[in-house]
Amino acid sequence: MKIMMLGAPGVGKGTIAKRLVARYNTPQLSTGDMLREAVKGGTEVGLQAKGYMDAGELVPDDVVIGVIGERLKRPDVNDGFILDGYPRTIPQAEALAAITDLDVVIRLTASDETIVERLSGRRIAEDGTIYHIKNFPPPPDVKVIQRDDDKEQAIRQRLFVYRKQTAPLVEYYRDKGALKDIDADASRTVDEIFEDCCSVL
Ligand code: AP5
């Protein structure tokens, strides 16, 4: 199945995508993770992306379309994949549509208050496990870091950019009949949100 996770920064796309990977044994394609890897490795793409990411801006379409285009050529995606954080603009969605169709677009929704609380408390372990200082505290022996773009000013900018550049994808995929809305607000546990997602697949 070809699945896309859509939703504001910090709504829980990565958390749910990792659980879907485990249940359906299908690869997660996170452009955020790919770009952070490129920054860490000091590659050409990483050098192009770093400034945008730190500022909470989107990396230019041509760069990201190139990264995902290469990834989609690998054979492990032949039976399906979970796109996490891509597409994020209408030109990216059109570039993807020229390569493949999506079966389901899962949109997670939550209030701004919930999102800011989730992002400011997020911590990441070296193996990519996502923790939260209050909701899912890391074990004492696990070393975690805070992402550079999880600081207040970058969070505000990411939310602004989401509304302006990514939110139009909601209508784009609704028109295609692919969109499924899932309530991911603070009153819902990760287990409940995950089961809701599985029920629409
Ligand atoms: P990216 O890494 O994709 O960041 P994002 O979309 O901002 O999403 P996040 O990873 O911040 O959040 P999430 O929704 O995955 O939430 P999570 O599960 O971690 O992109 C980063 C940057 O890369 C962009 O700003 C841009 O510069 C660039 N980029 C990436 N893709 C691009 C593209 N296509 N085009 C252009 N530029 C691109 O959860 C958050 C926290 O909440 C965690 O601590 C978690 O433990 C907690 N949590 C989650 N769910 C729950 C719950 N139900 N209850 C309690 N706590 C919860």
Side-chain angles (χ1 to χ4, degrees), residues 10-50:
V11 73
K13 303 180 296 295
T15 299
I16 297 297
K18 284 186 196 313
R19 289 210 182 191
L20 292 172
V21 167
R23 180 167 296 187
Y24 295 101
N25 192 26
T26 190
Q28 173 192 7
L29 275 50
S30 160
T31 40
D33 287 349
M34 290 176 205
L35 292 168
R36 277 185 289 279
E37 215 30 58
V39 170
K40 214 165 133 190
T43 67
E44 172 92 37
V45 166
L47 293 175
Q48 284 174 291
K50 188 176 180 344

Side-chain angles (χ1 to χ4, degrees), residues 136-200:
F136 309 106
D141 57 328
V142 171
K143 198 172 156 231
V144 291
I145 55 141
Q146 184 173 26
R147 270 171 45 177
D148 286 341
D149 59 351
D150 279 350
K151 311 276 163 65
E152 200 189 329
Q153 195 176 346
I155 291 175
R156 257 191 272 120
Q157 184 59 18
R158 284 159 68 200
L159 285 170
F160 175 78
V161 166
Y162 173 78
R163 286 194 195 98
K164 200 165 156 217
Q165 291 179 265
T166 307
L169 292 178
V170 173
E171 290 316 313
Y172 178 91
Y173 284 115
R174 203 193 302 282
D175 287 349
K176 289 186 181 294
L179 193 79
K180 302 285 180 193
D181 280 320
I182 306 285
D183 177 6
D185 209 354
S187 60
R188 320 254 0 261
T189 66
V190 172
D191 285 345
E192 287 170 335
I193 298 164
F194 175 62
E195 289 307 328
D196 280 0
C197 292
C198 293
S199 71
V200 301

Side-chain angles (χ1 to χ4, degrees), residues 5-18 28 30-36 49-61 63-65 68 84-89 92 108 114-115 117-124 130-136 147 149-150 154 158-159 161-162 166 183-193:
M5 305 297 303
L6 178 62
V11 73
K13 303 180 296 295
T15 299
I16 297 297
K18 284 186 196 313
Q28 173 192 7
S30 160
T31 40
D33 287 349
M34 290 176 205
L35 292 168
R36 277 185 289 279
K50 188 176 180 344
Y52 295 101
M53 296 176 78
D54 287 348
E57 300 286 347
L58 293 185
V59 174
D61 284 337
V63 176
V64 188
I65 289 170
I68 207 81
D84 169 11
Y86 185 90
R88 251 174 156 104
T89 63
Q92 291 180 19
L108 302 181
T114 298
I115 283 166
E117 196 271 334
R118 284 184 185 161
L119 284 179
S120 48
R122 173 167 58 187
R123 299 292 183 273
I124 315 274
I130 304 168
Y131 293 101
H132 187 282
I133 47 174
K134 270 198 257 155
N135 306 342
F136 309 106
R147 270 171 45 177
D149 59 351
D150 279 350
R158 284 159 68 200
L159 285 170
V161 166
Y162 173 78
T166 307
D183 177 6
D185 209 354
S187 60
R188 320 254 0 261
T189 66
V190 172
D191 285 345
E192 287 170 335
I193 298 164

Side-chain angles (χ1 to χ4, degrees), residues 75-91:
D76 64 328
V77 303
N78 288 349
D79 293 333
F81 49 76
I82 302 167
L83 280 173
D84 169 11
Y86 185 90
R88 251 174 156 104
T89 63
I90 295 287

